Amino acid sequence: MSSKFSSTLLLLISILMSIQLLASAGNFYRDVDITWGEGRGKIQEGGRGLALSLDKLSGSGFQSKNEYLFGRFDMQLKLVPGNSAGTVTTFFLSSQGEGHDEIDFEFLGNVSGQPYTIHTNVYTQGKGNKEQQFHLWFDPTAAFHTYTIVWNPHRIVFLVDNSPIRVFNNHESMGIPFPKSQAMKVYCSLWNADEWATQGGRVKTDWALAPFTAYYRNINIDGCAVSSGASSCKSIGSTNNAKPWQTHELDGKGRNRLRWVQTKHMVYNYCADSKRFPQGFSAECKSSRF
């Protein structure tokens, strides 16, 4: 498959995803609370959109009203344009307390003309070190694109415009912890991390360009809400009346797309960093990524 054909196909998928999300999207007034930023987070478009801003005093963020144990979580984002060095825009799931679980999308800004880095990670019982990073095949500041986390008991799938960029499978049989017992909320934020975010911290935030603004749109959560310890889903993993995300796995086309993204656009993989892990890689690294 040629690179040009792949890019065109992914653009068409992005357009179809936007249409689908528009029809099924939630509402920020109903689904989230702006939790910090002292007015720097603003709901827009009658609840369809939300803008987060960052200046030298503070960033901003919001979280879902409900917490979930498994689900599909879609969010459209348009990232900070121009010189975004030092800024980090996030969309992630997390539980609370010591030994928390977390599933991360973080978007690390860069100087003008240089690509954003998508940073992904999975924490289980407070331990991460499962990072994979990517450069995108489009400009994420020019238009909205859809970022998705699918989380079920078998695997976690990270998708961009419905194309898988990463799969983290449940390898508990190999002694690898997997997040499946702690309910998580959706969290999103825009904050300053110029001590590490851009080129290892060498490039700092240019506050003369503030405020920086990132835009979120068409939040869509299809998951098992948990309240007082009880889940809204009767069973997960059963094929009887299961929603697609509950048994989500990649077909041949999905594996081909994943292979294309990881071959052409991955810029860091913890499973290949021998300097960081001289004692050897984690056991799941021996399994196929595809």
Side-chain angles (χ1 to χ4, degrees):
M1 183 183 293
S2 71
S3 177
K4 183 176 180 180
F5 178 80
S6 298
S7 298
T8 302
L9 178 61
L10 292 170
L11 178 60
L12 290 173
I13 292 171
S14 171
I15 294 170
L16 291 173
M17 279 293 296
S18 296
I19 295 171
Q20 180 183 353
L21 279 176
L22 184 59
S24 61
N27 184 287
F28 284 104
Y29 282 119
R30 183 190 66 211
D31 296 334
V32 311
D33 293 315
I34 298 174
T35 49
W36 63 285
E38 297 180 330
R40 292 174 178 82
K42 294 181 173 64
I43 297 177
Q44 303 175 332
E45 302 177 68
R48 182 187 173 205
L50 195 155
L52 294 180
S53 65
L54 162 70
D55 57 38
K56 199 168 185 178
L57 293 177
S58 178
S60 50
F62 63 91
Q63 68 185 48
S64 63
K65 294 180 185 290
N66 295 325
E67 56 182 4
Y68 303 87
L69 188 60
F70 308 122
R72 178 181 176 120
F73 307 84
D74 296 288
M75 188 79 74
Q76 291 186 328
L77 282 85
K78 185 164 69 170
L79 301 178
V80 175
N83 184 354
S84 57
T87 71
V88 177
T89 306
T90 70
F91 162 46
F92 64 101
L93 310 179
S94 182
S95 64
Q96 294 298 303
E98 189 176 350
H100 78 292
D101 294 344
E102 188 173 322
I103 305 169
D104 290 341
F105 265 122
E106 294 185 330
F107 305 88
L108 313 184
N110 213 333
V111 295
S112 297
Q114 296 298 311
Y116 264 85
T117 297
I118 291 189
H119 176 95
T120 66
N121 202 358
V122 176
Y123 288 79
T124 309
Q125 300 166 17
K127 185 177 180 181
N129 296 330
K130 308 291 185 186
E131 300 93 342
Q132 288 184 357
Q133 296 181 340
F134 307 85
H135 287 164
L136 293 166
W137 50 93
F138 54 83
D139 179 358
T141 73
F144 283 94
H145 290 268
T146 304
Y147 304 89
T148 301
I149 296 169
V150 173
W151 170 39
N152 63 41
H154 311 292
R155 62 192 56 86
I156 296 163
V157 185
F158 298 81
L159 302 106
V160 176
D161 290 334
N162 215 34
S163 289
I165 66 168
R166 178 182 185 179
V167 177
F168 184 82
N169 287 306
N170 184 335
H171 286 301
E172 287 180 306
S173 62
M174 300 166 59
I176 305 301
F178 185 85
K180 67 174 190 179
S181 60
Q182 299 189 65
M184 298 195 250
K185 288 188 175 184
V186 178
Y187 293 87
C188 297
S189 58
L190 174 60
W191 54 291
N192 176 51
D194 65 3
E195 69 276 10
W196 63 268
T198 304
Q199 300 177 32
R202 291 187 297 274
V203 182
K204 303 300 183 183
T205 304
D206 184 354
W207 293 113
L209 301 174
F212 303 96
T213 304
Y215 296 93
Y216 295 76
R217 192 174 69 179
N218 291 341
I219 181 174
N220 190 42
I221 300 173
D222 182 8
C224 300
V226 174
S227 179
S228 301
S231 172
S232 62
C233 297
K234 293 182 180 179
S235 63
I236 299 292
S238 170
T239 57
N240 296 327
N241 300 317
K243 295 184 177 182
W245 64 261
Q246 293 177 313
T247 55
H248 187 106
E249 60 182 338
L250 300 189
D251 57 13
K253 185 183 294 185
R255 287 192 295 273
N256 285 339
R257 262 190 232 131
L258 177 66
R259 185 177 292 108
W260 178 78
V261 171
Q262 295 215 342
T263 301
K264 300 291 187 181
H265 297 281
M266 177 184 282
V267 296
Y268 178 82
N269 181 9
Y270 73 104
C271 285
D273 191 344
S274 56
K275 289 185 178 179
R276 184 180 174 197
F277 300 105
Q279 74 282 8
F281 301 125
S282 185
E284 77 275 7
C285 295
K286 299 175 183 177
S287 301
S288 172
R289 301 199 307 269
F290 313 121

